[in-house]
Amino acid sequence: MSLDPVTLAVLKGRLEQIADEMDATLARSAFNPIIAEARDLSHGLYHAETGETLVQGSAGLPIFVGTTAFAVRAVIAAVAKEGGAKPGETWIFNDPYDGGTHLNDFRLVRPVFRGGRLFCWIASVGHWLDIGGNVPGGYNPRATDAHQEGVRIPPVRLMRDGVVDPAIVAILQANTRVPLSNWGDLNGQINALDLGERRLHALLDETGEDMVAEALAALTARAEALMRSELARLPDGRYVAEDFLDNDGITDTPLPIRLAMTVAGEAMTLDFTGSAPACAGPLNISRATTIACCYVALKHLFPEVPANGGCLAPIRFVVPEGSILAANAPKPVAGYTETILRVIDTVFRAFGQAAPERATAGPFATINALSISGWREAATRWVMFCFFGGGLGGNPETDGLNHGNNPISTATIPPLEILEAAYPVRFTQWALRPDSGGPGLHRGGLGAIYEIAVDDARGAEAFLLGERGRFPPFGVNGGGDAAPNRFGYETEAGWERPPMVSKVFGVRLGEGARLRLETPGGGGWGDPHARDPARVARDVRLGYVSAEAARRDYAVVVTADGSVDAAATAALRKAAAA
């Protein structure tokens, strides 16, 4: 059988719609705002034998799409020890070293059978609000092993013959501060798998297994061919990039992430030799996670390539064992998001050397994982977990996006109205951060200012795991760096900042006390002195850039009424060029 292009396109759309409906089902039924509002989730279809990604949902987190293939392989290995997969089973786990990311991210994996034969796997990933450990919400900035971050569940059978095992549920509910929330999220994921399985059976009944299987194989082959074509357009060579994490939360020492990207014809090697060894704090990631975030970076760089396992066929990965990028149990991994963002940044930097005309400046590249927790009554905890936005980098065509998402995520920032309704907190400021975008011909996008007050007489504790406090997002092609991350909290003695800059553990906040987070902007693209003075003046009028920064960074003099002083600007730029 040979599929014509129209039929292949129709089947591609039908398959992607299945994953999209699974995404929507979980978002509508989950109990915690990180899934329901922020869409910290992902669903897809995976190869019956290899576990490779076949189809992903358009609303799922890109990093989950990359790691879930490894998760499915972990389940394939687990079921092989028990005689193979069986209809009616669903497996669950959150092991970050075996196809996971960090302990909050629970994966449900289910085999789909047709006529007694395994056709494929379907999977659901969602970020659960709390899974035990020392810190409510799981982001422990002082963790030195995974046991301090929460409960670790290896691949286990959650459902047999379509029936949930109550013992597994009891274990999960006993190891969280918010059992009702996690129970709701678990049922939401089961419902998403149920719907996905029904939709897939309906498609297979309509078209037949052979036609769908051929379409999936064709889409994978097409992704590989397109990726090889994209790589062949790059100049052969070796491109070296380096970036740093502020610290690991334990020792205040920068941690390097180093990459040598080699392009040779239709193939690429990504070699991370020279990166920091596995650290004491929670900034480690597994090898699977490293490969997954490279997948995310490449999808940003080559957006026309279909999102499935064929993308990675031309790529060879060198990830040194025992490094911060290939850590093993029980090294802590709660802050994995910060490290994968730095890996993506190094891929962007190296690519910018190979194709400077397509380079994009660095995004804000930290999620600023913030947990605030207190007591509703003697035995009931409330746990607010949230992540935050920032500026994206300038690019060859436009300024960077203000207050956007990180490149690992399509997740949205939960609305303040939802957070204020769910928890005893009050946002006293939510605004763009002036002068936070890197200057350039195309300016970096602005970060944001979030100020949160505790609205509870019993007070609360706050925990933050962030980055980019010392090493700001980078500019490219002559553009300037963005403003770094900045965090502060209110005490009886006044405002204080954490010694570890971007990380804080267990800050006690009384009623009415505030914490303030100022997120980074994106780096600038191109020479700031080449930016049209009228655009600079507009930025000043909008409050994006101060008049002082306009003069300092762009050599543009803006008057009190927001117009350009043309003579003073010409003189200033002439002096700067001399």
Side-chain angles (χ1 to χ4, degrees), residues 414-548:
L416 68 87
E417 294 87 354
I418 296 294
L419 297 174
E420 289 182 339
Y423 310 108
V425 300
R426 179 169 35 89
F427 281 79
T428 55
Q429 188 174 5
W430 182 309
L432 293 178
R433 180 185 178 190
D435 291 337
S436 56
L441 172 63
H442 295 150
R443 174 183 45 76
L446 270 61
I449 300 171
Y450 306 91
E451 194 171 87
I452 308 171
V454 174
D455 205 13
D456 191 330
R458 288 160 291 201
E461 284 187 310
F463 305 82
L464 177 74
L465 206 166
E467 270 293 330
R468 285 295 190 206
R470 292 205 171 100
F471 300 94
F474 56 91
V476 296
N477 296 343
D481 292 346
N485 208 7
R486 187 161 59 181
F487 179 72
Y489 50 91
E490 201 170 23
T491 69
E492 292 181 356
W495 283 88
E496 296 187 12
R497 300 198 183 279
M500 290 286 181
V501 184
S502 52
K503 301 169 185 68
V504 71
F505 182 94
V507 169
R508 184 67 189 170
L509 300 170
E511 183 179 15
R514 296 167 295 168
L515 55 84
R516 183 180 175 92
L517 185 61
E518 300 177 48
T519 68
W525 189 98
D527 181 6
H529 291 183
R531 187 173 177 86
D532 184 349
R535 297 186 67 191
V536 177
R538 179 178 181 273
D539 286 343
V540 172
R541 291 194 299 271
L542 290 172
Y544 296 169
V545 175
S546 66
E548 294 78 9

Side-chain angles (χ1 to χ4, degrees), residues 150-511:
V151 61
R152 177 181 165 200
I153 306 294
V156 294
R157 188 185 289 104
L158 173 68
M159 299 175 68
R160 189 193 305 267
D161 297 325
V163 178
V164 174
D165 186 337
I168 300 297
V169 176
I171 291 170
L172 294 172
Q173 290 193 289
N175 284 279
T176 177
R177 298 169 179 86
V178 288
L180 181 62
S181 175
N182 288 1
W183 180 85
D185 295 343
L186 172 63
N187 280 280
Q189 289 185 259
I190 292 172
N191 290 337
L193 292 179
D194 289 345
L195 180 136
E197 187 172 9
R198 290 197 305 271
R199 293 288 190 266
L200 181 57
H201 281 304
L203 175 61
L204 295 172
D205 289 342
E206 179 183 337
T207 63
E209 292 92 336
D210 291 345
M211 181 177 288
V212 173
E214 183 176 355
L216 291 169
L219 292 171
T220 300
R222 177 171 293 189
E224 178 179 349
L226 286 174
M227 180 60 81
R228 291 188 182 279
S229 174
E230 291 282 4
L231 296 178
R233 294 167 55 193
L234 297 176
D236 286 357
R238 184 173 184 269
Y239 309 96
V240 178
E242 179 180 65
D243 210 331
F244 293 87
L245 295 158
D246 293 338
N247 54 58
D248 67 357
I250 306 299
T251 303
D252 198 9
T253 301
L255 303 169
I257 305 295
R258 297 192 172 102
L259 169 64
M261 183 182 85
T262 302
V263 179
E266 296 182 347
M268 174 186 284
T269 297
L270 299 177
D271 185 347
F272 291 94
T273 300
S275 296
C279 60
L283 275 295
N284 302 286
I285 60 176
S286 69
R287 184 177 189 275
T289 305
T290 298
I291 293 173
C293 58
C294 292
Y295 165 90
V296 173
L298 293 169
K299 276 297 299 170
H300 278 282
L301 298 172
F302 308 117
E304 300 305 317
V305 179
N308 61 52
C311 295
L312 297 184
I315 315 297
R316 186 173 75 94
F317 297 92
V318 179
V319 187
E321 186 69 22
S323 71
I324 194 174
L325 306 181
N328 297 310
K331 284 291 185 181
V333 295
Y336 87 102
T337 50
E338 305 304 319
T339 306
I340 63 177
L341 286 166
R342 211 60 64 249
V343 171
I344 290 171
D345 280 349
T346 60
V347 176
F348 287 171
R349 280 181 185 256
F351 179 83
Q353 298 172 32
E357 73 285 355
R358 297 169 60 187
T360 297
F364 67 108
T366 174
I367 74 164
N368 278 312
L370 175 67
S371 298
I372 307 175
S373 178
W375 294 92
R376 295 193 189 278
E377 49 191 58
T380 304
R381 293 291 288 269
W382 61 269
V383 179
M384 185 193 106
F385 169 74
C386 194
F387 47 79
F388 299 93
L392 301 188
N395 59 74
E397 297 183 3
T398 66
D399 293 343
L401 180 68
N402 295 333
H403 192 226
N405 290 323
N406 268 302
I408 58 168
S409 178
T410 53
T412 59
I413 304 155
L416 68 87
E417 294 87 354
I418 296 294
L419 297 174
E420 289 182 339
Y423 310 108
V425 300
R426 179 169 35 89
F427 281 79
T428 55
Q429 188 174 5
W430 182 309
L432 293 178
R433 180 185 178 190
D435 291 337
S436 56
L441 172 63
H442 295 150
R443 174 183 45 76
L446 270 61
I449 300 171
Y450 306 91
E451 194 171 87
I452 308 171
V454 174
D455 205 13
D456 191 330
R458 288 160 291 201
E461 284 187 310
F463 305 82
L464 177 74
L465 206 166
E467 270 293 330
R468 285 295 190 206
R470 292 205 171 100
F471 300 94
F474 56 91
V476 296
N477 296 343
D481 292 346
N485 208 7
R486 187 161 59 181
F487 179 72
Y489 50 91
E490 201 170 23
T491 69
E492 292 181 356
W495 283 88
E496 296 187 12
R497 300 198 183 279
M500 290 286 181
V501 184
S502 52
K503 301 169 185 68
V504 71
F505 182 94
V507 169
R508 184 67 189 170
L509 300 170
E511 183 179 15

